[in-house]
Amino acid sequence: MSPKPSLTSHGSIVSSIPSPSAEFIVSKNNLGNVAKGDVIHEFVTVTNTGTTPLRLQAHCGGCRSPQLRKYRDVVPPGQTELLAIQIRSAEPGTHKANVEVFTDDPENATLAIDYTYTVVENGG
């Protein structure tokens, strides 16, 4: 027998079906000026505030494709996973890189993060 939805005091329906729930915190998007050759370290925090395991899948792309440190692809309820992102700054100029995080949260299935940064010559 499946759980039945219930009503709030305002008359809206609240589902009592167990599900994962993703909450994201992005460290920042505009990385500003960085020296040529530097490695930029950024983070995305994903917390499962739901009642069932949350499945994660992340992909990177852009001019200088970021790299992701290995992460758990299933986050238990109440736990947090840190997605550590590294971007290498090799060529001078303004660049964009992106990270997409996909989850099985029915309300918050995708997070797209666009990072922008300008690589300057050392000492400039």
Side-chain angles (χ1 to χ4, degrees):
M1 185 165 165
S2 63
K4 294 184 180 179
S6 60
L7 293 176
T8 66
S9 61
H10 301 291
S12 58
I13 295 178
V14 176
S15 175
S16 58
I17 298 172
S19 67
S21 179
E23 182 178 292
F24 300 103
I25 298 174
V26 177
S27 51
K28 61 183 165 181
N29 293 76
N30 185 340
L31 307 177
N33 289 341
V34 296
K36 181 178 176 181
D38 281 357
V39 177
I40 305 161
H41 298 275
E42 290 302 317
F43 303 93
V44 175
T45 304
V46 183
T47 302
N48 181 1
T49 59
T51 56
T52 62
L54 175 71
R55 290 173 182 27
L56 292 178
Q57 188 175 38
H59 297 280
C60 299
C63 301
R64 302 281 174 245
S65 188
Q67 296 176 337
L68 281 164
R69 187 186 77 207
K70 186 172 172 77
Y71 60 91
R72 289 183 297 177
D73 57 357
V74 177
V75 182
Q79 292 192 17
T80 298
E81 184 64 12
L82 184 69
L83 302 178
I85 301 158
Q86 290 185 349
I87 302 169
R88 300 194 183 282
S89 59
E91 298 296 321
T94 300
H95 300 279
K96 289 186 179 185
N98 63 59
V99 175
E100 289 183 312
V101 182
F102 303 95
T103 75
D104 61 345
D105 174 354
E107 301 294 322
N108 204 7
T110 305
L111 170 69
I113 310 158
D114 292 321
Y115 293 103
T116 58
Y117 58 99
T118 301
V119 177
V120 295
E121 294 289 339
N122 291 337

